Amino acid sequence: GAISTPMLKSIGVQWALAGHSERRVIFGETDDYINAQCLKIIDEGMSVMLCIGESLAEFEQDLAGSVCAVQLKKGLKGVSKEDLDKVVIAYEPVWAIGTGKVATPEIAQDVHATCRAILADMYDQEAADGVRILYGGSVTPESVDDLMSQPDIDGALVGGASLDVEKFGRIINFKV
């Protein structure tokens, strides 16, 4: 949350999250602030996981792609193509975090494909194909196989299920 990059580096941290929905909502972090975080994290030699995702109201208005497009473009503003190897994108539909609700594989794939197309527009197709895009909305042992079978979902950002060794074990050993 509110720890400086030099402090994180001093204890060996190599990755940091930016843009997590709770920080956006509770602390009012803006897209510009999140962009500054991303740039600072990369500048300090660390890697960043940029979290993007829509609220339930935005999802119900069919705005998932648009919301994520804005968050992605603003979050990566000023990040060079050469630094993309230090970036992972995590699509976390806010309505699914901690609720037990999971985007269908088709919904998640659609948003992931949109993100990859935006990355191709911002950089190029090779760069876009090289960026890992994770799904992070209440991933469960029951949902992981279908999610991971989608062509643009490169992995999972697991929250609550990581606290249960059996559930987490099943998730990391998904079957496609």
Side-chain angles (χ1 to χ4, degrees), residues 119-137:
L119 291 168
D121 287 343
M122 292 175 70
Y123 301 97
D124 61 35
Q125 190 62 54
E126 181 181 5
D129 290 341
V131 174
R132 288 174 287 167
I133 306 175
L134 311 182
Y135 175 78

Side-chain angles (χ1 to χ4, degrees), residues 65-174:
S66 299
V67 169
C68 291
V70 169
Q71 292 175 349
L72 184 61
K73 289 176 184 178
K74 288 186 173 186
L76 294 180
K77 182 179 177 186
V79 174
S80 71
K81 179 180 172 180
E82 293 72 30
D83 283 333
L84 280 181
D85 64 339
K86 298 179 186 89
V87 175
V88 167
I89 307 301
Y91 168 55
E92 296 187 294
V94 178
W95 52 269
I97 299 172
T99 65
K101 296 179 182 179
V102 181
T104 65
E106 297 77 20
I107 291 169
Q109 168 57 29
D110 185 54
V111 175
H112 282 234
T114 296
C115 291
R116 201 162 313 275
I118 290 165
L119 291 168
D121 287 343
M122 292 175 70
Y123 301 97
D124 61 35
Q125 190 62 54
E126 181 181 5
D129 290 341
V131 174
R132 288 174 287 167
I133 306 175
L134 311 182
Y135 175 78
S138 293
V139 178
T140 66
E142 295 76 30
S143 66
V144 69
D145 295 341
D146 289 337
L147 288 165
M148 294 305 105
S149 70
Q150 301 302 308
D152 288 299
I153 299 178
D154 300 317
L157 180 60
V158 183
S162 68
L163 302 174
D164 181 312
V165 69
E166 289 189 25
K167 288 181 180 179
F168 190 58
R170 173 63 182 88
I171 289 169
I172 64 172
N173 292 296
F174 65 90

